[in-house]
Amino acid sequence: SQEQIHVPVYHPTPSRSRLASQLTEEEQIRIAQRIGLIHHLPKGVYDPGRDGSEKKIRECVICMMDFEYGDPIRFLPCMHIYHKDCIDDWLMRSFTCPSCMEPVDAALLSSYETN
């Protein structure tokens, strides 16, 4: 068993997982593009007093933990928010919002094209 060796595992498609060393060049490019898209998503810190929209969302549906003041968060185009580490990890597996299943990349690309 190879459990002891910590090589990053990537999901070139949601049903397939590969060690970083096993990725094809095409999959490496796709993953690099995905990381680039994730880094374009707006991030911030959780501040329940700042505006009303964040008050409705009290917990990160990925880890089920309540947001605490100052937690690093990321906003998806559908306006759902998550802990930054939780959603970044999730989006490497599935490029959909865990709350509403809205595809994230389609929304991102269309928002780029309108700017």
Side-chain angles (χ1 to χ4, degrees), residues 10-13 16-34 92:
Y10 291 109
H11 299 76
T13 60
R16 234 185 350 202
S17 64
R18 293 254 179 89
L19 294 174
S21 52
Q22 299 172 322
L23 294 170
T24 67
E25 194 173 339
E26 184 190 330
E27 288 166 346
Q28 287 173 357
I29 291 168
R30 190 181 312 149
I31 285 164
Q33 288 172 331
R34 182 169 282 205
M92 289 306 296

Side-chain angles (χ1 to χ4, degrees), residues 62-92:
I62 299 171
C63 67
M64 298 302 188
M65 299 290 285
D66 285 351
F67 291 112
E68 302 287 342
Y69 178 83
D71 280 354
I73 57 171
R74 201 182 282 287
F75 300 83
L76 295 192
C78 54
M79 295 316 294
H80 289 111
I81 63 172
Y82 302 94
H83 288 122
K84 183 182 168 302
D85 291 346
C86 295
I87 193 62
D88 289 6
D89 189 51
W90 171 277
L91 291 172
M92 289 306 296

